[in-house]
Amino acid sequence: MAGNRTLTIIKPDAFGAGKAGKIIAHLEQQGFKVLAARVMRLTDRQAGEFYAVHRERPFYRSLVTFMTSGACMPMLLEKRDAVAALRQAIGATDPAEAEAGTVRKLFAESKERNAIHASDSDDNGVREAAFFFPDTDVLAAQG
C-alpha cells in the first residue's frame, strides 16, 4: 500500500447531506481509483480506537461524538503518491482556508464538520485501511 494507496472517510456530515457521490466523483476526476468502500456507523469504541492518537487533545471527545453521529463511508483509494495527492485534493482542515476546488472548500461546513478524513502518512494509511478493511486482499496487493 505504501506510496500508491491510502484511506479516506467521507464523514457523517457529508454522507448525511447526500454529498458522497459528488465527493467520490470529484476524487475520481482527480485520478483516484476506489479499491474498496463500505458504509457504516461507527460505535463509540470504534471511533475512540481509530482516533486514539488524538486522545490527549482537547477536541478528542467532540471528534468521537461527531464520527458516531451518523453513517460514514471509509474508502481505500489508489493513485501514484496517494497520501500527498489526497491531502492536496481535500484541502485544509478549515474550509475557509482551503484552496478553491478542493473537497473541503466545495463540501465542508466548518473546521469541525469538514466532510472528509485523509491519512497523513503512508504508515498511517496502512494502519487505517487495515482498521476498516481487515479482510480484503487489496491491502496485500501493491499497486
Side-chain angles (χ1 to χ4, degrees):
M1 184 164 140
N4 296 327
R5 297 194 176 145
T6 193
L7 180 92
T8 192
I9 305 170
I10 298 176
K11 292 181 177 181
D13 57 324
F15 192 84
K19 298 175 182 176
K22 291 177 182 179
I23 291 171
I24 294 166
H26 186 80
L27 294 173
E28 287 178 332
Q29 288 172 352
Q30 294 194 19
F32 289 93
K33 180 178 177 184
V34 178
L35 299 179
R38 65 187 290 200
V39 174
M40 63 186 297
R41 186 166 183 162
L42 294 173
T43 66
D44 193 71
R45 183 189 61 76
Q46 288 170 320
E49 183 180 331
F50 185 78
Y51 287 106
V53 65
H54 299 303
R55 187 164 281 139
E56 302 304 319
R57 304 194 73 182
F59 60 82
Y60 171 76
R61 179 61 8 220
S62 63
L63 176 61
V64 170
T65 299
F66 167 59
M67 289 303 294
T68 59
S69 67
C72 65
M73 187 176 192
M75 295 185 296
L76 181 61
L77 301 178
E78 184 174 62
K79 181 178 178 173
R80 184 174 177 84
D81 197 17
V83 169
L86 182 60
R87 295 197 63 84
Q88 182 174 354
I90 70 170
T93 302
D94 185 341
E97 298 172 4
E99 290 185 33
T102 61
V103 171
R104 288 180 172 147
K105 190 64 156 188
L106 294 168
F107 303 110
E109 298 174 29
S110 67
K111 187 174 182 178
E112 291 76 28
R113 299 174 64 82
N114 61 20
I116 195 165
H117 165 89
S119 301
D120 63 0
S121 68
D122 287 338
D123 289 343
N124 280 340
V126 170
R127 180 187 61 77
E128 292 176 356
F131 184 89
F132 289 105
F133 303 104
D135 299 326
T136 184
D137 61 356
V138 291
L139 291 174
Q142 293 297 315

